[in-house]
Amino acid sequence: MKFAKLRLSGFKSFVEPTELLIREGLTGVVGPNGCGKSNLLEALRWVMGESSARSLRVAAGGSGMDDVIFAGTAKRPSRDLAEVRLMLDNRARRAPAEFNADEEIEVSRAILRGEGSTYSLNGREVRLKDVQLLFADAA
């Protein structure tokens, strides 16, 4: 399995839907300080099941994982939902047996302010443990 595409919407500084294509070889992200480069890595970790708000650099004393949701600016209102989708290329058929019939596997995580996260694999709602097992088994 290989990372193929990362889609973010409402996650930290990515208020608008944003898509990052992850190509063969090395994919680099370049930009000035404060443009959200590290938020891309945190989005990857978050969709893969990271459960520590502290390790995702959310504000201390804040509302925990809800702080990954876009908080708003002077010109843009805050959002109530953040979602990250990770597309995995499985053409090599290296995923766990349950997913090996699929050439692409979509892992998604969404959080609604005050209600917690939901996870899905290929559009089917699953538990955090299922997402973590997918990546552990693929390793």
Side-chain angles (χ1 to χ4, degrees):
M1 287 189 329
K2 297 177 184 176
F3 292 167
K5 191 183 313 180
L6 182 68
R7 292 183 187 153
L8 303 91
S9 180
F11 184 85
K12 290 193 162 198
S13 59
F14 292 91
V15 62
E16 296 296 328
T18 303
E19 186 172 279
L20 173 69
L21 298 176
I22 304 168
R23 304 277 188 201
E24 283 289 325
L26 181 65
T27 296
V29 179
V30 179
N33 290 343
C35 73
K37 298 179 302 286
S38 60
N39 290 347
L40 292 171
L41 177 60
E42 290 174 0
L44 276 171
R45 291 178 44 223
W46 188 71
V47 75
M48 293 173 69
E50 177 61 61
S51 59
S52 168
R54 173 183 244 166
S55 72
L56 294 173
R57 299 179 312 125
V58 297
S63 54
M65 204 53 81
D66 280 358
D67 288 345
V68 302
I69 303 170
F70 179 72
T73 66
K75 296 182 180 183
R76 298 192 89 146
S78 64
R79 300 285 196 250
D80 288 327
L81 172 73
E83 183 176 39
V84 176
R85 294 177 178 270
L86 176 62
M87 298 299 291
L88 303 169
D89 178 342
N90 188 42
R91 287 179 289 184
R93 303 292 194 246
R94 294 203 173 125
E98 161 180 9
F99 296 100
N100 257 343
D102 301 314
E103 285 191 4
E104 272 192 340
I105 300 169
E106 182 183 69
V107 180
S108 70
R109 182 175 182 181
I111 185 169
L112 191 59
R113 193 173 304 282
E115 295 190 22
S117 294
T118 58
Y119 300 86
S120 66
L121 292 171
N122 288 346
R124 192 181 89 230
E125 193 167 321
V126 296
R127 305 168 301 169
L128 165 61
K129 184 175 186 169
D130 299 321
V131 171
Q132 291 171 330
L133 285 172
L134 169 73
F135 290 107
D137 289 350

